[in-house]
C-alpha cells in the first residue's frame, strides 16, 4: 500500500511507503490529510505520562516545505504498463480489448523510419495488428488509428504509476483529470 504525498499546495509529489509517511508525521512535516486512515503505528511509552505514542497514517498527506521538484516539469516515463493503461488495453487499430499479455507497444511511425519511442508516437496494439502493420505507417498499411496518442499530464501519470490505488486516492486524482482523459471511469 502506498500513500499519496502532495505538496502543501496540493500537487502530487510521489507515492511513498507507510514507513516514509510515518517519518513525515514524526518530523511534523504533515500539514494536512485527506482520505481514510490506512494504518496506525504504535511506539514507545512516555516516561512521564505513561502514554504510548501513536501515529495514524492517512492515504493522502500534504507535506510542508517547497517541493524539491517542479511536478509540471516532469515528463511521464514511457513503459508498456503505463501505455496499456493510458489506452485502456484497447488496440488502436482493431478496437479490440485485450489483456496486457496480448498487447504490444506499436510505433505509429516505425523506428526504422526514424520514428521516436515517445508518448506521441506509440499506441497500444494487439499482436495481430502490430504484425500486419509491420514497419509501415498506418497510412501505408491502410490501418487507420481509431484513437490518437497523447502525453499523460501530471495527474494521469500518478494514476498510471500505481496499480493499487485506494478509492479515496483515485477520487482525488481523477477530480483533477482533463475532461478528455481516457482514465475517467
Amino acid at each position: 500500500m502506498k500513500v499519496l504525498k502532495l505538496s502543501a499546495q496540493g500537487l502530487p509529489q510521489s507515492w511513498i511507503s507507510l514507513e516514509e509517511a510515518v517519518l513525515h508525521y514524526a518530523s511534523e512535516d504533515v500539514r494536512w490529510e485527506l482520505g481514510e486512515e490506512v494504518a496506525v503505528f504504535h511506539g514507545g511509552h512516555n516516561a512521564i505520562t505513561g502514554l504510548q505514542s501513536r501515529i495514524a497514517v492517512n492515504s493522502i498527506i500534504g507535506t510542508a516545505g517547497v517541493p524539491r521538484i517542479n511536478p509540471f516539469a516532469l515528463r511521464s516515463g514511457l513503459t508498456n504498463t503505463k501505455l496499456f493503461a493510458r489506452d485502456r488495453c484497447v488496440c488502436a487499430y482493431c478496437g479490440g480489448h485485450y489483456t496486457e499479455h496480448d498487447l504490444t507497444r506499436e510505433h505509429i511511425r516505425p523506428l526504422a523510419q526514424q520514428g521516436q519511442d515517445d508518448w506521441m508516437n506509440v499506441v497500444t496494439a494487439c499482436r495481430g495488428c502490430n504484425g500486419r502493420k509491420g514497419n509501415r505507417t498506418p497510412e501505408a498499411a491502410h490501418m487507420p488509428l481509431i484513437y490518437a496518442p497523447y502525453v499523460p499530464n501530471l495527474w494521469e501519470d500518478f494514476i498510471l504509476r500505481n496499480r493499487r490505488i485506494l478509492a479515496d486516492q483515485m477520487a482525488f486524482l481523477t477530480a483533477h483529470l482533463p475532461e478528455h482523459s481516457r482514465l475517467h471511469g
Side-chain angles (χ1 to χ4, degrees), residues 93 106-113 121 128-143:
Y93 297 105
E106 209 292 302
H107 295 85
I108 299 166
R109 181 174 181 189
L111 297 173
Q113 295 182 27
N121 190 50
C129 286
N130 196 338
R132 276 191 297 283
K133 180 180 167 285
N135 272 335
R136 300 176 289 176
T137 64
E139 296 80 19
H142 302 290
M143 296 175 68

Side-chain angles (χ1 to χ4, degrees), residues 1-7 12-25 30 32-41 55-63 158 161-162 164-166 168-170 172-173:
M1 174 187 315
K2 296 288 186 180
V3 172
L4 179 57
K5 176 184 168 185
L6 308 173
S7 68
Q13 296 296 297
S14 60
W15 290 104
I16 62 174
S17 67
L18 289 171
E19 292 76 13
E20 290 170 304
V22 167
L23 293 175
H24 283 292
Y25 279 94
V30 176
W32 48 271
E33 312 166 299
L34 290 173
E36 301 291 321
E37 185 178 286
V38 292
V40 176
F41 292 83
I55 296 178
V57 178
N58 276 43
S59 62
I60 303 169
I61 60 172
T63 57
F158 269 81
R161 283 190 214 183
N162 188 354
R164 305 183 88 187
I165 300 174
L166 301 175
D168 54 359
Q169 295 167 332
M170 184 62 90
F172 178 83
L173 292 168

Side-chain angles (χ1 to χ4, degrees), residues 94-165:
C94 70
H97 193 272
Y98 296 88
T99 64
E100 283 190 32
H101 175 74
D102 297 318
L103 294 171
T104 62
R105 180 186 306 192
E106 209 292 302
H107 295 85
I108 299 166
R109 181 174 181 189
L111 297 173
Q113 295 182 27
Q114 285 70 50
Q116 300 297 309
D117 189 36
D118 62 31
W119 284 107
M120 292 303 291
N121 190 50
V122 295
V123 290
T124 297
C126 68
R127 294 184 186 285
C129 286
N130 196 338
R132 276 191 297 283
K133 180 180 167 285
N135 272 335
R136 300 176 289 176
T137 64
E139 296 80 19
H142 302 290
M143 296 175 68
L145 292 169
I146 61 172
Y147 59 78
Y150 69 93
V151 178
N153 72 13
L154 171 69
W155 305 95
E156 291 168 311
D157 187 57
F158 269 81
I159 292 170
L160 296 173
R161 283 190 214 183
N162 188 354
R163 290 176 161 251
R164 305 183 88 187
I165 300 174

Side-chain angles (χ1 to χ4, degrees), residues 54-104:
R54 176 185 186 277
I55 296 178
V57 178
N58 276 43
S59 62
I60 303 169
I61 60 172
T63 57
V66 176
R68 293 189 195 120
I69 56 169
N70 175 359
F72 293 106
L74 295 177
R75 298 295 294 172
S76 179
L78 176 60
T79 66
N80 283 353
T81 299
K82 287 166 68 172
L83 172 66
F84 301 159
R86 178 198 74 177
D87 295 345
R88 304 195 79 166
C89 293
V90 173
C91 176
Y93 297 105
C94 70
H97 193 272
Y98 296 88
T99 64
E100 283 190 32
H101 175 74
D102 297 318
L103 294 171
T104 62

